Structure formats: C-alpha cells, structure tokens
Amino acid sequence: MATEAELTGELARLRACVAQVTGALIVGDDGRVLARDVSGEEDAHHLGPRTADALRAALRLAAAAGHGTAHELLVRADHGWVGAYTAGRSAALALVTAPQANVGRLRLEAHRSSTRISALIDGAPERQENT
C-alpha cells in the first residue's frame, strides 16, 4: 500500500500538468479520503463519499447499457468540470477544474494518474499505454 506522501505527490504531478485543476483527491471505494490537494478540509470530506457513490452509479449505468465496466465519469457544471476516474480495484481519483479546462488534456492526465495510483495502491506494476 502506498504512503499518503506518494499519493499526494501524484496529485501534485497531475496539477502541475493541468493548471486548471483546482482540486484533486484520491478516495477509497468506501469514500474515505486517502490523499488530497484541495482548497479546504470540508470540501474533501464531502467530495470523497460522493465520488465513490457517483462511480458506483456509473458502473451500474454502463452495465445496464451492456458496455462493460465504467472507468470515468465527467460532469460539466456551471463553474467547471468534475471528474471521477477508477484507480485500481479499490480507489478513485476525483478532479475539480475551472470552467476553461482543456478536457482532452484533463482526461489524458487523469488516465495516466489513475494508472499510477492503481500501481501504488494495488502494488501492480504500471502499465505502459499508448494514450
């Protein structure tokens, strides 16, 4: 299992790659916050459980549509984007952005980070992917 410092380091790397990310956190499948880089403690404690809930709903939706396992949920809101990405067997990556975020870059870097987080948490080697 990864240390909080390793997970927080990955969040910092992601935020350095996508300047419009205003908050990032890693949550367990139970909604518990494992690492965070957000503006306030309260935000993380509210966003964590809701990220886990949203990904469970996305998994059910994808399965109901016959499309297999969901890996990403991206929501466009009035004041920016909110994304949730699976990160291994037992974690998720949640991202909050400013409205002008480059969604393509966000998705690319979120995928890279979720792969790294999965390797840190699950102990699996990082996969090399052409994305």
Side-chain angles (χ1 to χ4, degrees), residues 5 14 16 23 38 51 73 76 80 84-85 87 99 105 116 122 125 128:
L14 172 66
V38 295
T51 298
L73 177 66
R76 185 175 140 231
Y85 303 84
R105 179 66 187 233
R116 288 184 182 110
D122 296 336
Q128 294 296 324

Side-chain angles (χ1 to χ4, degrees), residues 9-127:
E10 180 54 34
L11 295 179
R13 187 208 65 78
L14 172 66
R15 288 193 66 180
C17 289
V18 185
Q20 298 83 15
V21 171
T22 59
L25 58 115
I26 301 168
V27 299
D29 56 6
D30 59 357
R32 182 175 46 95
V33 176
L34 304 175
R36 70 182 185 288
D37 187 353
V38 295
S39 59
E41 178 89 17
E42 188 174 325
D43 293 338
H45 290 295
H46 290 304
L47 188 57
R50 284 172 181 73
T51 298
D53 291 343
L55 275 177
R56 280 191 290 273
L59 287 165
R60 289 190 306 271
L61 181 63
H67 285 314
T69 303
H71 301 282
E72 167 186 21
L73 177 66
L74 191 58
V75 178
R76 185 175 140 231
D78 291 337
H79 302 291
W81 295 85
V82 181
Y85 303 84
T86 58
R89 296 183 302 266
S90 62
L93 170 65
L95 300 174
V96 179
T97 76
Q100 70 275 17
N102 177 328
V103 177
R105 179 66 187 233
L106 174 71
R107 293 183 69 225
L108 175 68
E109 293 301 333
H111 176 73
R112 288 178 177 159
S113 282
S114 65
T115 299
R116 288 184 182 110
I117 293 163
S118 176
L120 288 168
I121 290 176
D122 296 336
E126 273 188 53
R127 296 173 301 178

